[in-house]
């Protein structure tokens, strides 16, 4: 009887787990393992720094994204002493869209050249954003577009 109760409990836990996974749809948060074509939405504060662990490589001080990164109007992305990179290839093209705040200190935003067929062109768009860039690099071939944004580069 006791084994039967444990089996039922395990089945219930598995059902609840699978329902919560389904409810995520295509949104992930910092620290999640990111699959290709998964958008990352920043609604609060997301900090990438030297102690951040890359969800793609497990290395500290960098954060890889395989999808669009969208900082919503209520969101703030802070990159400090770290690298944010987009891991895209010829079949998967991504972009950075900032409608909120981007703060960079001793940081870098770039694209990865490590995939089998890397796609280096990249687009970053800032709409009504607040951007502060201090001693940092935005390094990729492509386009950076600002509209109605406050930008401070030091």
């Amino acid at each position: 009887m006791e084994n039967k109760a444990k089996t039922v409990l395990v089945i219930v836990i598995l059902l609840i787990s699978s329902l919560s996974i389904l409810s995520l749809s295509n949104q992930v948060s910092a620290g999640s393992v990111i699959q290709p074509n998964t958008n990352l939405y920043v609604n609060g504060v997301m900090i990438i720094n030297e102690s951040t662990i890359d969800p793609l490589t497990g290395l500290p001080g960098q954060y890889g994204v395989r999808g669009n990164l969208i900082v919503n109007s209520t969101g703030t992305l802070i990159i400090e002493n770290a690298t944010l990179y987009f891991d895209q290839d010829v079949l998967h093209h991504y972009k950075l869209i900032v409608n909120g705040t981007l703060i960079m200190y001793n940081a870098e935003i770039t694209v990865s050249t490590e995939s089998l067929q890397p796609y280096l062109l990249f687009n970053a768009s800032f709409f009504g954003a607040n951007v502060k860039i201090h001693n940092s690099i935005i390094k990729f071939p492509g386009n950076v577009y600002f509209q109605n944004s406050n930008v401070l580069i030091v």
Side-chain angles (χ1 to χ4, degrees):
M1 182 73 162
E2 188 175 305
N3 285 339
K4 198 174 197 179
K6 287 180 183 177
T7 303
V8 170
L9 179 61
V10 168
I11 290 172
V12 168
I13 290 171
L14 288 173
L15 285 172
I16 291 171
S17 304
S18 62
L19 288 175
S20 63
I21 289 170
L22 289 174
S23 70
L24 287 175
S25 67
N26 275 334
Q27 296 189 23
V28 295
S29 61
S32 301
V33 175
I34 299 174
Q35 301 301 320
N37 294 320
T38 301
N39 291 334
L40 175 61
Y41 296 91
V42 179
N43 294 307
V45 176
M46 178 179 177
I47 299 173
I48 300 171
N49 59 29
E50 63 273 0
S51 59
T52 300
I53 302 300
D54 187 336
L56 302 179
T57 67
L59 297 174
Q62 61 186 30
Y63 195 87
V65 178
R66 287 189 182 142
N68 299 313
L69 195 156
I70 298 123
V71 180
N72 291 321
S73 61
T74 59
T76 299
L77 173 60
I78 301 170
I79 309 168
E80 184 174 9
N81 301 314
T83 298
L84 168 66
Y85 69 93
F86 290 81
D87 187 24
Q88 57 185 15
D89 59 31
V90 295
L91 298 176
H92 305 96
H93 306 174
Y94 307 125
K95 60 188 165 225
L96 170 65
I97 300 171
V98 179
N99 300 311
T101 301
L102 171 66
I103 301 171
M104 296 176 66
Y105 294 106
N106 303 315
E108 181 177 342
I109 296 176
T110 190
V111 293
S112 174
T113 59
E114 301 297 317
S115 63
L116 290 175
Q117 295 180 310
Y119 185 77
L120 302 181
L121 292 177
F122 186 74
N123 292 308
S125 299
F126 301 84
F127 302 102
N130 291 305
V131 181
K132 295 178 185 171
I133 300 172
H134 181 79
N135 196 34
S136 298
I137 300 169
I138 298 176
K139 182 173 71 175
F140 53 80
N143 300 298
V144 177
Y145 179 76
F146 293 95
Q147 180 180 347
N148 298 325
S149 296
N150 297 314
V151 181
L152 174 64
I153 301 174
V154 181

